[in-house]
Amino acid sequence: MARSIGASPGSARWLSGLVHVGVGRRRPAAPPGPRLERLFAPLKEELASLPPFLRDTDVSAHFRIYYFNQLKPDDTRLEALAGGGWIKYQSGWLLDTFAMGASFFGSAPLYAPADTDGTLLLKTGQKGYLRPG
């Protein structure tokens, strides 16, 4: 027995009733954004009227902690716990032809015994460093 897939007059009324079910209801509110976005929302609104070179400015920071511990075959020990990271600035475009950016990198000893130097996380002598990039 073959079945017809077409819509009958009864199903059309049922479908039209379905379409009108949600008409008067409000859509659920969008979930709030991340805290930092909400914190800086007023600043973002103020920047909206500035030229793209300033408005599209991006500043970001990346932090890291790294621990290195190694016993070499010649029984020398390398060990250090260093904290550091970088801060990056990127401007927007000026007249769609010029943009600029800069980075600042660094690493500082958190735990660095003087007799376990050589991990390459820090400068020689287990000292921290700062470098522009």
Side-chain angles (χ1 to χ4, degrees):
M1 180 170 159
R3 291 190 129 181
S4 169
I5 300 182
S8 68
S11 66
R13 270 184 264 126
W14 179 77
L15 285 174
S16 68
L18 253 178
V19 171
H20 296 291
V21 169
V23 167
R25 296 186 184 163
R26 294 180 59 186
R27 234 179 354 177
R35 279 190 187 156
L36 280 177
E37 276 187 28
R38 284 182 278 148
L39 180 66
F40 290 106
L43 178 63
K44 192 173 185 178
E45 289 174 13
E46 286 182 34
L47 291 175
S49 63
L50 295 175
F53 185 76
L54 299 173
R55 179 186 63 222
D56 298 337
T57 292
D58 183 36
V59 177
S60 60
H62 301 269
F63 300 100
R64 68 178 181 124
I65 294 179
Y66 195 89
Y67 178 71
F68 186 85
N69 185 5
Q70 180 183 29
L71 182 60
K72 294 175 87 175
D74 61 355
D75 288 334
T76 57
R77 186 177 187 87
L78 308 175
E79 184 177 22
L81 174 66
W86 63 92
I87 296 173
K88 182 180 98 174
Y89 167 79
Q90 180 68 44
S91 74
W93 288 95
L94 178 65
L95 303 174
D96 291 331
T97 55
F98 175 77
M100 59 187 227
S103 298
F104 194 66
F105 303 88
S107 188
L110 300 174
Y111 172 73
D115 60 335
T116 61
D117 192 13
T119 61
L120 302 178
L121 298 178
L122 302 163
K123 284 180 21 178
T124 304
Q126 301 283 59
K127 297 186 186 317
Y129 65 89
L130 297 172
R131 295 283 181 269

